[in-house]
Amino acid sequence: MTSEEPKFEDFASSDSEMDEEFDSTDEPLGEERDLTGDGGVVKTLLENGSGWKKPNTGADVKVHYVGTLEDGTKFDSSRDRDAPFTFTLGKGQVIRGWDEVVKTMRKGEKCKVKLAPEYAYGESGSPPKIPANATLLFEIELIDWTQEEDISPAGDNGIRKTVKVSGSDWTNPKDLGTVTVDYRGILPDKTVFVEKKGEKFVVGDHEVVEGLEIAVKSMKKGEQSVVTMEPRFAFGEEGNTEAGVPPNTAVRYEVRAKEKEADKCCASLGPVRVLE
């Protein structure tokens, strides 16, 4: 156990190959779209994104942007800082118009947007750079986003999964199948309490905490995910003294699905490889 958080190799966000098959949703470049129906948010596509997915409310999105007044005066730019901006979509963390625009974008998409004052900084503006009742122009690029999925049995957010690298096989591990995974467990203070490489266990035999079993059952070939679980799906009220997990502690696992052997019920059919 160590307080240093080691690098989990090759943990990087990417779209699945399947996403590319749905790349037929391209919109016309240079065409203005009134997103709100009142002319308050007008989007012009500069460059199409990839895949078909778009971020939903609650997604943590990463963007680059350049903001200017109507006379061309630049008041802000993440590109000038060489630092992408991250915010949670649909939670009021940014001006209203941004939430309206970014939810329509795909990964890698670039667009120009014109925001009326009521979708920007309104009557008060944002002195000294943005005057009152200012119409703003932005160029926005959606770099990436992460979206948590509730995979708990009762759908009560007890186990939440964020896919960092999508899998490429539709077959999921089932109960009584032996899986091989890499994983590490992390406490809220970022202390790593366990790290395993090439670990084998039988799904359904309770060799690992329940939340990790449920997460692995939802994973596909090559998938890498971050899984957060409440204490009842981890070490419960007692915690785990040997591992250094306090009582009633929510934990996070970073997991890479690698390999699956035949389910016990189907062992007579020979080994079935579905995870690499």
Side-chain angles (χ1 to χ4, degrees):
M1 183 177 65
T2 174
S3 59
E4 181 180 359
E5 187 169 351
K7 181 179 179 182
F8 200 71
E9 299 173 356
D10 302 326
F11 238 73
S13 181
S14 69
D15 287 332
S16 68
E17 294 176 2
M18 184 189 70
D19 288 346
E20 303 304 324
E21 298 176 7
F22 288 84
D23 213 2
S24 59
T25 56
D26 288 352
E27 303 169 14
L29 299 180
E31 183 176 296
E32 290 188 347
R33 291 178 56 205
D34 182 354
L35 298 184
T36 53
D38 59 1
V41 182
V42 179
K43 173 186 174 184
T44 304
L45 188 65
L46 301 178
E47 185 176 322
N48 270 296
S50 61
W52 56 274
K53 295 180 181 179
K54 298 174 183 178
N56 297 316
T57 296
D60 291 323
V61 298
K62 181 188 294 185
V63 301
H64 260 313
Y65 69 91
V66 178
T68 60
L69 304 178
E70 284 191 290
D71 65 5
T73 301
K74 182 165 59 177
F75 59 82
D76 196 10
S77 172
S78 66
R79 295 192 183 279
D80 288 351
R81 295 189 296 272
D82 194 25
F85 176 64
T86 301
F87 68 96
T88 302
L89 185 63
K91 299 298 183 180
Q93 295 182 357
V94 291
I95 54 177
R96 183 180 170 193
W98 269 42
D99 279 334
E100 295 290 343
V101 172
V102 174
K103 69 182 182 182
T104 72
M105 299 177 70
R106 296 182 290 154
K107 182 178 178 179
E109 180 178 317
K110 295 180 182 179
C111 71
K112 180 173 65 177
V113 60
K114 182 177 181 179
L115 302 183
E118 57 267 31
Y119 288 93
Y121 291 95
E123 296 180 357
S124 60
S126 183
K129 293 186 176 181
I130 301 174
N133 293 309
T135 295
L136 304 182
L137 306 176
F138 287 94
E139 182 178 298
I140 301 174
E141 176 188 1
L142 177 56
I143 300 171
D144 202 358
W145 76 88
T146 57
Q147 187 90 41
E148 281 193 330
E149 176 188 2
D150 180 8
I151 60 171
S152 54
D156 58 3
N157 284 308
I159 309 171
R160 301 178 304 281
K161 183 178 80 168
T162 300
V163 177
K164 291 296 186 180
V165 176
S166 298
S168 58
D169 193 296
W170 285 108
T171 305
N172 305 99
K174 297 178 175 61
D175 283 346
L176 305 183
T178 300
V179 295
T180 302
V181 298
D182 296 339
Y183 68 88
R184 64 174 180 169
I186 305 169
L187 299 177
D189 65 1
K190 297 186 178 180
T191 297
V192 176
F193 63 87
V194 64
E195 183 164 14
K196 301 285 187 180
K197 295 292 183 71
E199 183 76 359
K200 288 189 176 184
F201 64 88
V202 177
V203 177
D205 272 6
H206 311 297
E207 300 175 41
V208 295
V209 296
E210 182 183 6
L212 184 55
E213 281 199 339
I214 292 171
V216 170
K217 286 174 66 175
S218 76
M219 297 177 71
K220 297 179 174 61
K221 178 182 179 180
E223 181 178 319
Q224 298 179 25
S225 291
V226 176
V227 184
T228 304
M229 61 192 71
E230 294 181 356
R232 57 197 166 100
F233 291 106
F235 298 96
E237 296 180 357
E238 297 181 356
N240 187 310
T241 303
E242 183 179 352
V245 180
N248 293 308
T249 301
V251 299
R252 184 175 88 243
Y253 283 91
E254 294 177 343
V255 190
R256 179 192 289 113
K258 300 181 70 174
E259 188 172 326
K260 173 181 175 290
E261 299 174 9
D263 298 345
K264 289 180 180 179
C265 64
C266 306
S268 61
L269 299 178
V272 181
R273 294 179 61 85
V274 297
L275 295 176
E276 186 175 358

